[in-house]
Amino acid sequence: MPIRAAWQTLAPRLPPGLLPRSGGTPLPLPPGQQQQGFLCVGGYTEEEGGQARAPTGEALAVRLWGSPPVARLPPTGPAPPPRLASAGATVGSTAWIIGGWDPGTRGDGGVILDDLWSAD
């Protein structure tokens, strides 16, 4: 029997003030909260029309139900620097990201990161 995917869009537009993005690291919420949504850290923000792209270290909460569907999570202390393509996991109630790539400025190649960050 073939496996089929029935995709649907839950939040076709981001709320005002949040730019479209790509390349972030999705992180599940802790057990017991996973039905509510997930976190997304970092990635590229994309200006309208795709003209300007910049790395971000923002953390977003993505809700599967309720409003707003996507919200920026302001840091309460030090926050990871901008990054793309990091690895991440949630262990207990702690979300972890490790490494990734900071693309730097245009043409310099950026830097591969070797840091480890956690958030409750």
Side-chain angles (χ1 to χ4, degrees):
M1 170 183 270
I3 298 173
R4 300 178 192 268
W7 292 95
Q8 62 180 325
T9 182
L10 300 176
R13 307 284 293 164
L14 289 172
L18 284 179
L19 292 172
R21 61 199 61 228
S22 62
T25 301
L27 297 165
L29 292 174
Q33 297 179 21
Q34 292 176 348
Q35 298 298 327
Q36 297 174 24
F38 59 94
L39 303 177
C40 186
V41 178
Y44 270 133
T45 56
E46 310 268 350
E47 293 289 340
E48 284 294 322
Q51 299 299 321
R53 184 181 288 171
T56 183
E58 287 181 330
L60 303 178
V62 181
R63 293 180 180 200
L64 301 180
W65 297 275
S67 185
V70 179
R72 183 180 292 119
L73 297 174
T76 58
R83 68 191 58 230
L84 310 169
S86 57
T90 301
V91 179
S93 64
T94 304
W96 296 86
I97 58 169
I98 184 169
W101 173 53
D102 177 353
T105 58
R106 186 176 205 115
D108 76 357
V111 62
I112 301 298
L113 302 167
D114 63 355
D115 53 356
L116 176 66
W117 289 82
S118 68
D120 287 330

